[in-house]
Every structure is written in C-alpha cells, then in structure tokens.
C-alpha cells in the first residue's frame, strides 16, 4: 500500500493510497477510531485534495450514522468517470494490489463495518463480480459486518452512493445470499 505525504493543510483526506501516477486509487478517506469502509465499483475523480459526488456522499453518510472516519474503496482501482471506459480484461497487478489493500485496511480495525456500495453496474465487468466474491470470502475472518444503505435495487444489488437519500438507513447485507444472486 502506498501513502503519499503532503504538507499540512494541503489535503482533505489523510488516508490516500495510489499507484501508476494516480491512475490507480486504492483508498481515500479520513481517519477516526470508528471507520466506515465503503466499497464502490471503481474510483472516479476524487483525490487527496478534492472530493467528488460519491466520496462526499460517503463522508456525509458516515458522519450522519455515528462514524468518525471513512475509507472509500472500490472493487477495481483503475480510475474512470464511466465504468464503461474500463478495459474488458482485468489488470491482474491492479486487481491483486487492490484486494490486498482492502484486506489490510479492514483487518486493522476491530469489528469492521463494510458498506457494499457498487450498484447495479457490478455486472458490467466480470472482474467486479470476482472482486466482490473474493472480498466476501477474505473479509469474513475479521468479523466483518456487511451493510447496504437504503433498500436493495429491484435486481437485489446494494445501491451506489451517488443516488442516495440521507433519510435512508443501513441494513445488514446477507453476504451468502447475495453471493448466490451474483452467480445467477
């Protein structure tokens, strides 16, 4: 995991891990003793210096729900403002580094709460589904509590943060049952 150091006051976020000249972003967030881990599809434009809509909403949800920190993670670390611009074939190095980063961050927290926040588009790339499956398997040994925010979509997927209402609440995501829906 890479962490960049910046002069005091130059960053919005004190958790930031990236590679490939910032074309891959593994983690972005704000430290606190009780962190919410949110996992989206892939990173867009947010950096350590500026937010974007998704990160701002994740931060807002975390604050409104008793978390004093958050970490934005993704199923795939390659930046794209539109997931359709991502390659069809997975970059195995990016994929592996990303999963390792997520596991390291989650493992370092007692009773981690992970918000599945990828939306309907998880089926857009096979590696999104593969990453979700691997994460459910890898993170279970840490006592991870999987959550979704608001209701699931009509297809049974956890909603993406960009389309949320702050009036919604968290609900437990049955990881085993959800994995079965990903297989069908």
């Amino acid at each position: 995991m890479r962490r960049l150091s910046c002069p005091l006051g130059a960053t919005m976020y004190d958790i930031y891990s990236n590679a490939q000249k910032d074309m891959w972003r593994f983690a972005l967030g704000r430290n606190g003793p009780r962190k919410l881990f949110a996992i989206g599809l892939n990173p867009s434009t947010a950096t350590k210096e500026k937010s974007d809509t998704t990160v701002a909403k994740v931060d807002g949800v975390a604050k409104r729900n008793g978390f004093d920190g958050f970490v934005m993670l993704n199923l795939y670390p390659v930046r794209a403002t539109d997931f359709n611009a991502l390659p069809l074939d997975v970059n195995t190095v990016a994929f592996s580094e990303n999963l390792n980063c997520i596991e390291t961050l989650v493992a370092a927290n007692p009773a981690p709460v992970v918000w599945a926040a990828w939306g309907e588009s998880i089926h857009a790339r096979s590696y999104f589904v593969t990453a979700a499956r691997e994460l459910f398997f890898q993170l279970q040994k840490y006592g991870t509590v999987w959550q979704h925010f608001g209701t699931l979509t009509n297809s049974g997927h956890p909603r993406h943060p960009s389309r949320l209402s702050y009036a919604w609440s968290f609900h437990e995501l049955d990881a085993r049952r959800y994995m079965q829906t990903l297989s069908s």
Side-chain angles (χ1 to χ4, degrees):
M1 188 165 74
R2 293 168 182 84
R3 184 177 169 101
L4 300 178
S5 60
C6 296
L8 200 57
T11 64
M12 286 185 73
Y13 304 108
D14 58 348
I15 297 171
Y16 196 76
S17 177
N18 69 337
Q20 299 296 315
K21 298 183 181 177
D22 209 26
M23 292 305 298
W24 299 354
R25 189 188 79 213
F26 302 109
L28 174 137
R30 188 171 295 111
N31 260 313
R34 185 166 183 256
K35 286 189 269 309
L36 173 65
F37 296 92
I39 302 179
L41 278 180
N42 71 289
S44 183
T45 60
T47 66
K48 64 186 173 295
E49 293 92 10
K50 68 179 177 70
S51 189
D52 64 14
T53 302
T54 300
V55 172
K57 291 220 175 177
V58 168
D59 191 8
V61 167
K63 287 175 183 170
R64 286 172 170 83
N65 286 275
F67 295 92
D68 46 21
F70 77 95
V71 182
M72 184 74 223
L73 306 160
N74 290 282
L75 296 175
Y76 194 61
V78 177
R79 286 185 188 272
T81 55
D82 178 356
F83 61 84
N84 288 308
L86 291 170
L88 294 177
D89 296 323
V90 69
N91 177 313
T92 57
V93 173
F95 186 87
S96 179
E97 280 191 44
N98 187 56
L99 294 183
N100 289 337
C101 177
I102 292 171
E103 184 172 4
T104 298
L105 289 166
V106 170
N109 287 268
V113 176
V114 177
W115 172 11
W118 43 74
E120 290 278 337
S121 302
I122 189 168
H123 289 291
R125 298 289 182 269
S126 62
Y127 49 81
F128 290 155
V129 172
T130 301
R133 282 191 184 118
E134 289 195 27
L135 287 171
F136 280 128
F137 176 74
Q138 287 177 344
L139 301 182
Q140 71 183 351
K141 62 188 164 208
Y142 305 109
T144 301
V145 176
W146 285 90
Q147 301 281 302
H148 65 92
F149 196 69
T151 60
L152 296 173
T153 66
N154 290 337
S155 301
H157 298 288
R159 295 183 185 277
H160 188 274
S162 65
R163 294 167 179 80
L164 64 77
S165 165
Y166 289 118
W168 294 350
S169 59
F170 279 108
H171 305 277
E172 187 169 346
L173 179 66
D174 183 336
R176 284 179 200 225
R177 187 171 180 205
Y178 183 68
M179 286 295 96
Q180 291 172 345
T181 67
L182 284 179
S183 299
S184 49

